[in-house]
Amino acid sequence: MSFTLNHLKSLESEAIYVIREAAAQFQNPAILFSGGKDSIAVTYLARKAFYPAPIPFPLLHIDTGNNFQETLDYRDKLVSKLDVRLIVASVQDSINQHRVTEEKGYNASRIRLQTTTLLDAIEKYKFDCCLGGARRDEEKARAKERFFSHRDEFGQWDPKNQRPELWNLFNGRMNVGENFRVFPISNWTELDVWQYMGMEKIELPSLYFSHRRRVFERDGVLLAESPFIPMKPNEVVEEQTVRFRTIGDITSTGATFSEASTVDEIINEVAATRVTERGGRADDKRSETSMEDRKKEGYF
């Protein structure tokens, strides 16, 4: 137990250092907030980094319009609790302004459309740094990331041209129009995040815990019944006991069968699983390089 506590305190200290470095090096940062556990962790770490002062950055939420209502309710409750500014950029607005074209068909998703909405929000509010909750253990493209991830004037990421980070020295220099993504919990794992949530007793969206929900299976992914997802003739909806390991757009976020209804039960479940948490994300199954392709385009 003491080893776990020391390990978590070490990760916490590193993350707070990165957040403070971002505050020192950039003029106008924001926290990318999805309502998922990782962005929640970054938000609470930022609170610790500047306490008793309030969090000096706004939360930036890219709203696909196809969110779980539980996510939106949690977001609004957290914003009120922490007294932090919330900026919502809407994918629907991007569609209405003909900045992007909405996909059609059974597998239509707004995941890829988020990139344009995010880059437009960065330009509109002149953010030079966006702090996110990405972790290197999540997916092979994210394993290539640095703490300070440089993006060019088009918001694009070059995985072959990243800056060295030696002895916790971070280079935030950039030209006009460029910006950075900063990932304070890069060295954390899914298990670390859950253990930290338990240690800090942080409230989380109810979606993460076992509950009854109407779901159906499509291409090996268990999706929630939703008006945003057109059903195929052969698909059958059944009520099952499930929870979600990740939280995103309802059209691509897969559920998992689970009886884990407490943080301790989830910790035990995560420790025993051999399937990555993004194994249930339909958007990651579109191609072997789907995440890396989106990141190169400017995705978080």
Side-chain angles (χ1 to χ4, degrees):
M1 188 66 175
S2 61
F3 171 79
T4 300
L5 180 60
N6 290 338
H7 173 65
L8 293 176
K9 286 297 184 182
S10 177
L11 289 174
E12 178 189 68
S13 178
E14 177 184 63
I16 287 174
Y17 172 77
V18 173
I19 292 170
R20 288 173 175 168
E21 276 292 299
Q25 294 197 39
F26 300 105
Q27 297 298 314
N28 189 26
I31 295 175
L32 293 173
F33 189 82
S34 67
K37 66 185 182 309
D38 300 325
S39 64
I40 293 168
V42 171
T43 301
Y44 274 92
L45 287 162
R47 186 192 192 196
K48 274 199 172 187
F50 304 105
Y51 189 83
I55 298 173
F57 323 130
L59 302 186
L60 173 60
H61 180 213
I62 307 302
D63 184 1
T64 67
N66 295 344
N67 295 105
F68 290 94
Q69 187 58 46
E70 294 94 330
T71 303
L72 300 179
D73 292 343
Y74 178 90
R75 179 200 67 187
D76 295 341
K77 183 179 178 181
L78 183 69
V79 166
S80 176
K81 176 182 177 180
L82 300 185
D83 191 24
V84 65
R85 180 186 174 202
L86 172 67
I87 295 173
V88 178
S90 169
V91 171
Q92 185 62 54
D93 288 345
S94 297
I95 294 170
N96 295 343
Q97 296 163 12
H98 305 291
R99 294 282 294 143
V100 294
T101 302
E102 185 158 24
E103 296 179 1
K104 304 296 183 183
Y106 288 116
N107 296 311
S109 172
R110 291 184 172 185
I111 292 295
R112 200 162 195 127
L113 309 187
Q114 290 181 99
T115 299
T116 297
T117 307
L118 170 60
L119 295 178
D120 286 349
I122 289 173
E123 174 64 24
K124 177 179 179 180
Y125 295 100
K126 306 302 180 186
F127 294 128
D128 54 359
C129 163
C130 291
L131 295 94
R135 308 185 325 267
R136 293 189 182 118
D137 75 316
E138 284 183 86
E139 200 270 345
K140 57 188 177 182
R142 287 183 172 170
K144 301 177 182 179
E145 279 284 18
R146 301 288 194 267
F147 281 104
F148 276 36
S149 180
H150 174 263
R151 306 299 171 102
D152 65 19
E153 64 271 25
F154 301 106
Q156 297 175 332
W157 172 69
D158 182 358
K160 297 181 180 179
N161 187 28
Q162 296 198 72
R163 299 174 180 182
E165 293 181 343
L166 306 175
W167 305 290
N168 286 337
L169 297 176
F170 304 123
N171 183 356
R173 294 182 181 180
M174 59 187 172
N175 297 317
V176 175
E178 298 175 345
N179 60 81
F180 273 76
R181 307 287 195 274
V182 172
F183 303 115
I185 63 171
S186 288
N187 286 336
W188 297 41
T189 66
E190 181 187 10
L191 183 59
D192 292 329
V193 173
W194 277 108
Q195 289 176 331
Y196 187 75
M197 294 298 177
M199 181 180 76
E200 295 292 305
K201 295 180 172 54
I202 294 173
E203 183 180 355
L204 289 162
S206 59
L207 290 168
Y208 279 119
F209 303 95
S210 175
H211 60 283
R212 299 290 290 178
R213 184 176 292 268
R214 288 172 58 81
V215 296
F216 64 96
E217 185 175 341
R218 176 179 294 175
D219 299 327
V221 177
L222 203 61
L223 295 173
E225 182 185 38
S226 166
F228 304 129
I229 308 177
M231 300 286 296
K232 296 179 181 180
N234 63 331
E235 290 174 334
V236 179
V237 175
E238 296 180 329
E239 187 173 281
Q240 300 284 355
T241 301
V242 300
R243 74 177 192 87
F244 293 87
R245 290 176 69 187
T246 66
I247 293 180
D249 188 287
I250 198 169
T251 63
S252 60
T253 303
T256 182
F257 294 113
S258 174
E259 298 287 344
S261 59
T262 67
V263 171
D264 286 341
E265 290 174 352
I266 291 174
I267 289 172
N268 292 333
E269 183 179 271
V270 171
T273 189
R274 293 297 177 265
V275 179
T276 66
E277 62 185 306
R278 293 192 70 90
R281 291 293 292 263
D283 49 312
D284 286 352
K285 297 180 182 295
R286 291 194 169 196
S287 78
E288 291 185 358
T289 61
S290 58
M291 173 63 77
E292 183 159 331
D293 292 341
R294 294 203 304 275
K295 286 174 67 63
K296 288 178 179 178
E297 293 169 359
Y299 180 68
F300 139 88

